[in-house]
Amino acid sequence: MNLLSKETVAVKAQEVKEVTELLNSSVSAIVVDYRGLTVEQVTDLRKQLREAGVKMRVIKNKIMVRVADEAGYPDLKPVFAGPTAVAFSEEDPVAPAKILANFAKTADALQLKGGIIEGKVASLEEVQEYATLPSREELLATIANLLQAPVRNVAYAVKAIAEKGDEDAA
C-alpha cells in the first residue's frame, strides 16, 4: 500500500509539473465550468479550440491549486471549484476567451470562471472584455488593409491621370 501511495504522489507531482510548464508557456489560460455540456457540445468546443491552436484539459482542482501556487498565481485559486477545464493558448491571448465566450452564448451550461491573460490573473469580467477584442488574425488583416490603402490610392490616382490623358489625346 505504501508503494502505491508513493507512485500516486509521483504521478500527481509529474502532472503538477507538466501543467505548470504548460501554464508558464501560455499567453492565456481560461478556466471554465463545463458541467452539463453534452458529449457533442464538448467535442464541438474542443474542435473549435484546436483549430485556433488552443489546448483544453480537464484537470482536478487539487492539481490546479498546486499549479497556481507553483506558477505564482495564488489569486487564481478561488476559481478552482466544481468541474474545471482549462483552455491554454501559447500564441493568441484572445483566442480562448473569444471562443469560450461565443460558445457559452449557445451552450448555457458552459460557465467562464476567470483565468490568466498575458501573465496576470483575470477576473470573469476581464475575460469577457478580452472576448470582445478582435483576434490576432483580425488585427493583422486590419493593419494590412491600413498599410495597403495609401498604395491603392496612389494607384487609383495614377490610373485616373492616365485615363484623363487618353481622353485628352483623343
Side-chain angles (χ1 to χ4, degrees):
M1 176 103 177
N2 195 12
L3 180 62
L4 181 61
S5 13
K6 284 182 181 179
E7 287 178 11
T8 303
V9 168
V11 167
K12 288 184 180 189
Q14 180 62 31
E15 185 174 4
V16 168
K17 180 182 176 195
E18 288 173 9
V19 176
T20 301
E21 288 172 1
L22 180 58
L23 182 62
N24 286 335
S25 67
S26 298
V27 291
S28 68
I30 307 301
V31 182
V32 295
D33 180 342
Y34 63 93
R35 178 182 21 209
L37 290 179
T38 66
V39 172
E40 291 168 352
Q41 288 174 318
V42 171
T43 302
D44 183 34
L45 177 59
R46 284 184 183 271
K47 180 179 179 256
Q48 290 179 35
L49 291 167
R50 190 172 41 253
E51 287 172 355
V54 178
K55 300 173 189 170
M56 186 169 109
R57 288 187 56 181
V58 175
I59 305 168
K60 290 184 178 183
N61 290 325
K62 286 184 179 182
I63 299 289
M64 284 309 302
V65 166
R66 289 183 183 162
V67 168
D69 279 336
E70 284 198 23
Y73 300 109
D75 295 342
L76 189 63
K77 293 192 294 189
V79 300
F80 301 122
T84 300
V86 185
F88 300 93
S89 176
E90 294 180 356
E91 295 177 16
D92 187 351
V94 176
K98 188 177 230 28
I99 293 168
L100 292 167
N102 286 338
F103 195 86
K105 290 177 185 174
T106 59
D108 294 335
L110 184 69
Q111 301 293 316
L112 281 78
K113 295 180 175 183
I116 297 169
I117 300 174
E118 295 185 321
K120 296 178 183 169
V121 174
S123 67
L124 172 60
E125 293 77 21
E126 291 169 318
V127 169
Q128 290 172 333
E129 284 179 34
Y130 267 82
T132 63
L133 294 174
S135 70
R136 183 175 184 269
E137 288 75 25
E138 292 168 334
L139 288 172
L140 289 174
T142 301
I143 290 170
N145 282 334
L146 290 172
L147 293 174
Q148 288 178 349
V151 173
R152 200 173 343 173
N153 291 341
V154 168
Y156 288 142
V158 169
K159 182 179 177 187
I161 292 170
E163 288 174 355
K164 185 170 171 114
D166 288 345
E167 289 174 8
D168 290 343

